[in-house]
Amino acid sequence: MNTKEALLFVLEEQRGMYVSGEELAKRLGVSRTAVWKAVNSLREDGFDIMSAGSRGYRLSAESDLLSSAAVQQALKTRVFDVRVVPETGSTNVDVKALAERGAPEFTVVASELQTKGKGRLGRSFYSPQRTGIYFSVLLRPKLPVTDALFITTSAAVATASAIEEVCGRQAGIKWVNDIYWQDRKVCGILTEASLDLENGSLDYAVLGIGINVSPPEGGFPEELKTIAGCLYPEGGCPAGTRSRLLASLLDKFYELYIHLPEKRFLDEYRRRSILKGLNVNVIQGDRTYPASVVGIDDQCHLLVSRDGQLIALDSGEVSVRPIK
Ligand code: BTN
């Protein structure tokens, strides 16, 4: 941790209270001038830090920037190395680059803004500034390629459960990887894997999650208006929510991930599934056909009935739209 990060860590610990320059210098093992410089640099990044003479510095209780310090403090699991950047193209691309350079498992990159957010099936993911959480986790699972889907499905359960815990929203899962609340998509998940061709296992995987927390300035773009939603549609998201949500999600995901072969997530995945019993259109390339959803099998295939025939859909190239 550099001085700036360490300073933010202490201020975050005492959020809303003053910490004297002298104490900060002592705890950080640096001069008071170095503290002052780090405070200014954090202010330039947008952190709301007040100063009051001899009382020192205080991080405003309302300050709502995503920060590595706030996430680390809220985390119960100590394995994650969370880095927060103000802006990037795509956190999935960043983490992939880190993976190629040998970064350890559980390295996390989160960004306040993505300019080239990636979605499933070659789509883009709208990631406007400071209204969402956009992050990717590097995983190095010892899993056969056939089980890679369980990373995404367990992450969907962790996300829905964290949203419920931190924001009090009963989130549902739309097979295979979308999180819905009040009929709107509030989160998408994209897992990208690198294969080890020699032994047919995963070399590494990048789990990318984007959550819409507050309404974007000016609203969602026209093409997303009828689909996308956010967790606080009227605004008023309490300060610190995004950091706490990210920490809770990572904690919950870790618990499911370390037991992945046992598929502990499966019951909750089924329970939260919003498609069960619905009539849907199955879209497979340029083919579309109506079917009704029966359930989810142990491989996380979606089971649909079409003209009395049971079909297990693989998530690969299929999307499913409820018929309203
Ligand atoms: C989808 O809904 O199609 C999946 C969206 C996944 C978006 C997240 S945001 C963080 C990470 N970085 C990306 O570029 N994409 C994922």
Side-chain angles (χ1 to χ4, degrees), residues 32-281:
R32 288 185 60 175
T33 314
V35 170
W36 177 78
K37 277 189 186 153
V39 166
N40 284 341
S41 175
L42 285 170
R43 280 178 177 150
E44 273 165 28
D45 291 347
F47 287 94
D48 191 3
I49 299 172
M50 279 88 117
S51 48
S54 61
R55 293 171 72 199
Y57 303 97
R58 140 179 117 101
L59 178 65
S60 153
E62 271 72 54
S63 178
D64 199 27
L65 282 194
L66 207 52
S67 76
S68 159
V71 179
Q72 294 288 4
Q73 264 158 36
L75 272 168
K76 296 192 188 97
T77 318
R78 290 281 157 226
V79 298
F80 295 100
D81 172 13
V82 182
R83 310 170 186 188
V84 178
V85 296
E87 174 179 341
T88 189
S90 155
T91 55
N92 265 30
V93 172
D94 296 344
V95 169
K96 234 185 278 178
L98 289 170
E100 296 291 344
R101 278 188 260 135
E105 183 163 56
F106 305 123
T107 299
V108 179
V109 174
S111 181
E112 288 281 11
L113 161 75
Q114 288 187 129
T115 50
K116 286 186 187 144
K118 291 166 71 176
R120 266 185 86 222
L121 307 172
R123 299 186 192 119
S124 60
F125 187 79
Y126 183 59
S127 320
Q129 189 157 33
R130 288 189 197 167
T131 57
I133 307 173
Y134 320 112
F135 71 99
S136 305
V137 187
L138 172 57
L139 302 169
R140 298 191 180 276
K142 311 231 168 344
L143 280 182
V145 174
T146 43
D147 287 356
L149 177 64
F150 302 144
I151 296 174
T152 303
T153 45
S154 60
V157 168
T159 305
S161 165
I163 287 174
E164 194 160 331
E165 181 182 277
V166 176
C167 310
R169 316 297 195 220
Q170 290 241 331
I173 300 171
K174 177 174 171 282
W175 182 85
V176 59
N177 62 348
D178 289 341
I179 307 296
Y180 270 64
W181 178 61
Q182 291 191 330
D183 244 8
R184 296 292 167 128
K185 174 170 167 175
V186 293
C187 163
I189 302 173
L190 173 68
T191 306
E192 298 182 279
S194 163
L195 306 184
D196 181 338
L197 294 175
E198 259 165 49
N199 58 21
S201 64
L202 291 173
D203 184 14
Y204 64 82
V206 175
L207 167 67
I209 302 183
I211 307 176
N212 306 327
V213 178
S214 298
E217 222 178 308
F220 284 101
E222 209 49 48
E223 67 277 16
L224 296 179
K225 270 193 174 131
T226 56
I227 309 162
C230 60
L231 296 171
Y232 294 86
E234 312 301 333
C237 171
T241 299
R242 289 184 305 146
S243 301
R244 279 185 283 114
L245 183 54
L246 176 50
S248 164
L249 193 166
L250 290 172
D251 280 334
K252 287 176 190 292
F253 174 72
Y254 180 75
E255 272 310 304
L256 297 173
Y257 174 74
I258 55 172
H259 301 290
L260 211 53
E262 295 161 42
K263 297 187 205 166
R264 291 185 184 182
F265 61 88
L266 203 51
D267 284 347
E268 190 170 344
Y269 187 86
R270 287 184 176 127
R271 189 166 54 73
R272 288 189 184 271
S273 170
I274 60 171
L275 290 180
K276 189 145 183 246
L278 294 189
N279 292 324
V280 294
N281 275 322

Side-chain angles (χ1 to χ4, degrees), residues 305-323:
S305 162
R306 183 194 186 191
D307 302 330
Q309 193 199 349
L310 194 63
I311 306 171
L313 297 176
D314 194 87
S315 67
E317 312 93 39
V318 184
S319 42
V320 170
R321 293 230 176 95
I323 303 171

